[in-house]
Amino acid sequence: MKKKYLLLEFAIVFIFLLLPPIFVTRAELPPSLRKGAFSFAFLPQLFIAILLNFQWRKKTSLTKKKSFEKLISILKWGTITFGLLMLIFALILALQMIFGSSSSADFFSNLSSDLVFEPRFLFFLSLAVNFLAGAFYEEVLYREFVPKTLYALLEGFSSDRGRITIRIIVESFAVLVFAAAHRYMGLFAVLNALLCAIALRNCYVKTGGAYTGTIVHFLYNMMNLFFVLRQVIC
């Protein structure tokens, strides 16, 4: 793939997809979801994620043995990553309790203050679908597209030192821009996103794709939401 095309594509993605979330001050649910109806707000994110994922996905034919080994690796790293995310969640929660910060809880409370929870099943179904599409979008964008595109643009450094420097720059940028996108939720949310991004990026590298990280990311987000909103919804 030509570097001129990649550079143009990365510039477009950076301006229209990576920068805007950093300057968001308050997240809002789609109007239809706030009224308890099914929301199709996930479609643009899903469409973008599919396009970006298709660009970098490698099509390989695997034998049954290799497929079985791949499945074991996916289950292994999916479980490890989810465990790490849970530990990070517990760590951040402990820090919030120690320092008396409730920014995340306030965020979700404000977000849910005008929700109509009837019918609850339709609300949670729509929420789950949107969260799943959002997790896939973020895994493809931050764990796949950004690192792989930057590596492709910066390739050509032959020295070992140059490759190490590139790796540090690329991986740090992908993690930091994801963490900054959670700025609207407060300092502890940024720290949480920073640590989670490292774990999810490692999951991507170990499994060779965004799908395992998507499931883990989705489950973690739903668990996090239910935990924080338990007193608000129930």
Side-chain angles (χ1 to χ4, degrees), residues 25-227:
T25 56
R26 184 180 186 273
E28 295 183 355
L29 292 175
S32 58
L33 184 55
R34 289 159 57 191
K35 296 177 182 178
F38 191 86
S39 172
F40 291 92
F42 66 91
L43 288 178
Q45 284 190 334
L46 182 61
F47 178 72
I48 292 172
I50 290 174
L51 287 181
L52 295 180
N53 178 248
F54 180 79
Q55 174 176 308
W56 289 110
R57 186 177 59 187
K58 293 181 179 180
K59 297 181 179 179
T60 56
S61 57
L62 299 175
T63 63
K64 290 184 178 180
K65 183 178 180 180
K66 289 184 178 180
S67 296
F68 179 74
E69 292 176 352
K70 181 70 173 178
L71 177 61
I72 295 299
S73 177
I74 288 173
L75 293 174
K76 171 187 173 182
W77 286 106
T79 303
I80 291 174
T81 304
F82 185 73
L84 287 175
L85 297 189
M86 293 297 293
L87 287 175
I88 293 169
F89 175 79
L91 172 63
I92 299 301
L93 188 61
L95 290 176
Q96 287 179 321
M97 294 176 64
I98 293 172
F99 293 99
S101 174
S102 59
S103 56
S104 295
D106 291 341
F107 160 73
F108 283 116
S109 296
N110 293 333
L111 198 61
S112 63
S113 59
D114 56 351
L115 288 176
V116 178
F117 295 111
E118 297 295 343
R120 288 190 177 187
F121 173 76
L122 187 60
F123 166 74
F124 283 117
L125 175 62
S126 181
L127 193 66
V129 171
N130 278 269
F131 269 38
L132 182 59
F136 180 56
Y137 169 80
E138 290 186 342
E139 290 306 305
V140 170
L141 181 62
Y142 293 100
R143 255 65 78 182
E144 182 172 65
F145 175 81
V146 169
K148 285 197 170 185
T149 303
L150 286 178
Y151 277 127
L153 289 173
L154 296 174
E155 68 180 356
F157 290 81
S158 57
S159 66
D160 292 337
R161 185 176 180 180
R163 286 194 292 269
I164 293 174
T165 302
I166 290 175
R167 184 173 183 179
I168 293 173
I169 293 174
V170 170
E171 298 296 340
S172 297
F173 177 82
V175 168
L176 290 174
V177 74
F178 178 74
H182 294 74
R183 185 179 63 86
Y184 62 93
M185 292 178 63
L187 177 61
F188 286 103
V190 172
L191 178 59
N192 180 77
L194 180 72
L195 298 175
C196 288
I198 296 173
L200 288 167
R201 172 60 180 166
N202 181 69
C203 180
Y204 177 90
V205 173
K206 296 297 184 180
T207 60
Y211 303 117
T212 305
T214 295
I215 299 301
V216 172
H217 192 158
F218 165 72
L219 293 175
Y220 172 76
N221 280 348
M222 293 299 291
M223 179 278 302
N224 199 341
L225 180 68
F226 287 136
F227 180 83

